Every structure is written in structure tokens, then in C-alpha cells.
Amino acid sequence: MASDDRIAVWQIFNTVVPLVVCAYAFCEVTTSFDLKSILIAPLLFLLIVFLMSRSFSLMHDCGHHSLFRTKYLNRIIAFGLSIIHGIPHHPWSRGHAFHHKYNGNWDRYRGPSALTTREQYESKKSWAKYFYQILRHPLLLFPGGFYYLILKPRIALFLGFFECLFATLQKLFHALSKGEFVNIFSIINSHQSSFFYTRGEVYDTIANSAILFTCWWLIGGAIGHWHFWLLYACVMSSSAALMIAVFFVQHNFPGSYASNEEDWSYFKGAIEGSSFLQLPPVLNWFTADIAYHHIHHLSERIPNYRLRDCHYANLHLLADVKPLYLHQIPACFSLILWDNVNLELVSTGM
């Protein structure tokens, strides 16, 4: 659990600098349609998507206060990385903390795809079953990923603003009709949003969105707004799809621990409910060793650069960890139902 600021700074540097350079080069080579751009643009695109995956993993570590030694520095760096990914870090990390608290307890947490139970699925009408399957098809990760990173936080902010406005006006008119004095700022401060848990989340989303809108406008003005949004939509959709896919297969895999509330064990959820992805070294680097997910769930305060050592130092205790190989990943995406009778994840075809 020992964080090392020197390692953390180097990880940020060797991720963000190449990412910025690749993004600039990607904008440059796509200004023309010739042989050079046709050959180089796809390579730059792949590099950006993989570097975005590493960057998100580092932001994720900051959310657990493990990348750097101090909470303050983790929050500062996480906010900077959240601009790259478009998603406000503070509300995201709170939701992610819930996942860690209840991983493997499918009564409490139904995964990123919000799975339903087998019984509930079988009670649906045919069109509803089909719609359920379509929404959880791997190809929907691309538009779904863009929505998750870019649209969802801004929609929550927009709806939260109007909810607060209407609630404030309602209380204000009610007080005035009784001839009572009311402090409008007190009403706003006491308002409990349906879209945010704390005011800190609201402020983080506002700051993230304000900086992001400015960046969009400036970069769009520099290279052309249509040019920018075409590249941006492709990159963000693909990087989000990759990150969500990795997260999905780390918990939705054949034989994954899928308990109910009564029998749930935190430690079984970590060891048996987290797959050990068998990735080549280069992909382990691009994902910041998140493949050692069982170690991460045992203790979220272990930074990514300690996970591998922790795994190999404790191999004698990890017999129940499930290795997941690349060729097995496609089968994971069929596990979109929770059988709460047999306590297992199943496909709709079973």
C-alpha cells in the first residue's frame, strides 16, 4: 500500500506527454486525405485509444488515493486527467467506490450493464427481452461509451440545475404566500439533488464541464469544429468502449462469484469475483496492470505499480483466482443475466 510520488509522476509523464503528442499529430495528419494520412492516422488512433486506457487507469488509482501519497495531490491529478476523459472524477469515483464495497453481491450491485435476474428476464415480453439483449450487445459499447463519458454528466448537471431551480421557486412562493421571510441561499444549500449526492460532486462537474467546453471551443476553432468533433467522437467512443469492456470481463466471466446479500463475502468477491486477465506485457502497460484485479479488490489502496509484486508474492494464497485468456473474452459478453437461485451469471440462451 506504499505510494511512491516519484513513480507516480513518471507514470503521469510517460502517459500524458505521448498522449498529447499523438493527439496533435492525429489532428495534423487528418487535415489531408493522402497515402501518408491513410497509413499513419489508424496507428495514431490506436495509440491514442490505448494511452487513454492507461490514463483512465491512473485516474482510477487517484480516486482510491493510491497513486500519490497525499489525498490532495491525488485529487488535483485526478481532476486534470478527468479533463482528458471528459467525465467528472469526483462523482465517478464515488460510484466506483460503491462497486468496490459490494463487488460480488449481486443483490446490491448489478455491474456496469445493470443486469437483471434470470427470473425477471423470463417474465418480460418478447420485445422487451430483445431490447434488453440489444442494449447489452458489445457493439453498443461505442455509443454507450460516448454517452457515459461526455453526455451523461452534462445531462445530470442540466437536470439537476432545473430540479434545484423549481424546488427553490416552489419553496419561495410557498413562504411568500404565508408572509414569511425566506433566505433563498439557505434553500439552495439545503436542497438534496436526485442527481448528485454532495455539493462537491456538483462543483466538480461544473468545473470539469466549464474547462471542457472551453477546450472544445478552442481546439475546434483551431482545426475546424467538424474536424474536431469527428475525431473526438471516434476517440472517446472507442476509448470508453475499451475501458468498459475490460471492466466488464473482470467481473462477468464463467464461474464468477455471484452471491446474494445473505451469503456474500467481501474476500470471495475480490478473489473469486475478479478475473486475472492474461494480457501480453505491452497491454499490461497500457492498462496499468489492472489485469491483477483480484489484488486491487483485496485492497484498493495498493497502487497499480505494486499489484504485480503483490500477486507473485502471494501466489500460494491465490489458488481460487480465475485466469481469463484473450480467446475466452467473447464468451463473457453473453453473461448478461444473474441467476439468483443458483447464484451464477448466465446467458439469455440458457
Side-chain angles (χ1 to χ4, degrees), residues 13-305:
F13 181 83
N14 67 27
T15 303
V16 175
V17 172
L19 180 57
V20 171
V21 171
C22 287
Y24 178 81
F26 191 45
C27 291
E28 287 293 312
V29 300
T30 52
T31 54
S32 59
F33 189 75
D34 52 25
L35 182 61
K36 184 178 74 172
S37 63
I38 292 172
L39 293 175
I40 297 177
L43 296 177
L44 288 171
F45 175 78
L46 287 176
L47 264 176
I48 290 170
V49 169
F50 283 132
L51 285 168
M52 290 280 284
S53 178
R54 179 172 170 82
S55 172
F56 197 93
S57 292
L58 299 182
M59 185 182 76
H60 154 267
D61 268 22
C62 289
H64 291 299
H65 306 304
S66 64
L67 190 65
F68 293 90
R69 286 190 296 176
T70 66
K71 182 178 179 180
Y72 178 78
L73 195 51
N74 278 302
R75 288 291 299 272
I76 293 293
I77 298 301
F79 181 80
L81 294 175
S82 75
I83 303 302
I84 293 174
H85 297 284
I87 188 168
H89 177 262
H90 190 37
W92 177 85
S93 64
R94 180 202 50 77
H96 186 67
F98 185 87
H99 154 66
H100 269 263
K101 189 175 181 179
Y102 296 109
N103 183 50
N105 182 344
W106 287 80
D107 272 335
R108 292 268 193 143
Y109 180 75
R110 299 290 181 87
S113 299
L115 303 189
T116 189
T117 66
R118 184 176 182 176
E119 183 182 16
Q120 290 169 333
Y121 175 81
E122 289 175 348
S123 68
K124 293 177 182 287
K125 295 182 179 179
S126 297
W127 67 266
K129 289 181 179 179
Y130 182 72
F131 188 61
Y132 179 87
Q133 293 180 50
I134 288 294
L135 286 180
R136 287 153 185 82
H137 191 278
L139 288 179
L140 265 292
L141 285 172
F142 292 92
F146 187 83
Y147 169 79
Y148 178 72
L149 289 181
I150 306 302
L151 299 180
K152 184 179 178 181
R154 263 46 76 175
I155 292 173
L157 188 62
F158 179 81
L159 294 177
F161 171 78
F162 280 101
E163 179 192 51
C164 182
L165 177 64
F166 292 144
T168 300
L169 290 175
Q170 185 179 32
K171 291 180 180 179
L172 183 62
F173 290 144
H174 179 72
L176 291 175
S177 66
K178 291 186 174 182
E180 299 174 353
F181 172 78
V182 64
N183 186 333
I184 190 170
F185 295 106
S186 176
I187 295 176
I188 293 173
N189 286 332
S190 63
H191 172 70
Q192 180 58 56
S193 174
S194 303
F195 303 94
F196 299 96
Y197 284 87
T198 65
R199 279 184 289 174
E201 292 182 19
V202 178
Y203 299 150
D204 190 72
T205 304
I206 291 172
N208 175 276
S209 299
I211 295 174
L212 208 58
F213 290 155
T214 303
C215 291
W216 291 344
W217 180 257
L218 293 175
I219 299 172
I223 69 171
H225 291 286
W226 282 105
H227 183 194
F228 166 72
W229 278 104
L230 178 61
L231 300 184
Y232 190 70
C234 290
V235 166
M236 300 308 286
S237 298
S238 300
S239 63
L242 177 61
M243 291 180 288
I244 296 171
V246 169
F247 180 82
F248 185 89
V249 302
Q250 286 178 323
H251 300 292
N252 293 55
F253 55 89
S256 176
Y257 180 74
S259 178
N260 54 21
E261 174 77 19
E262 183 180 357
D263 301 317
W264 176 68
S265 161
Y266 176 88
F267 295 102
K268 283 190 174 184
I271 294 294
E272 300 175 26
S274 303
S275 64
F276 176 25
L277 277 174
Q278 303 298 294
L279 299 177
V282 64
L283 290 184
N284 270 328
W285 188 88
F286 277 117
T287 54
D289 279 340
I290 201 65
Y292 298 90
H293 212 57
H294 49 290
I295 301 296
H296 173 61
H297 268 274
L298 277 173
S299 176
E300 62 207 41
R301 292 298 301 275
I302 300 174
N304 71 85
Y305 43 83

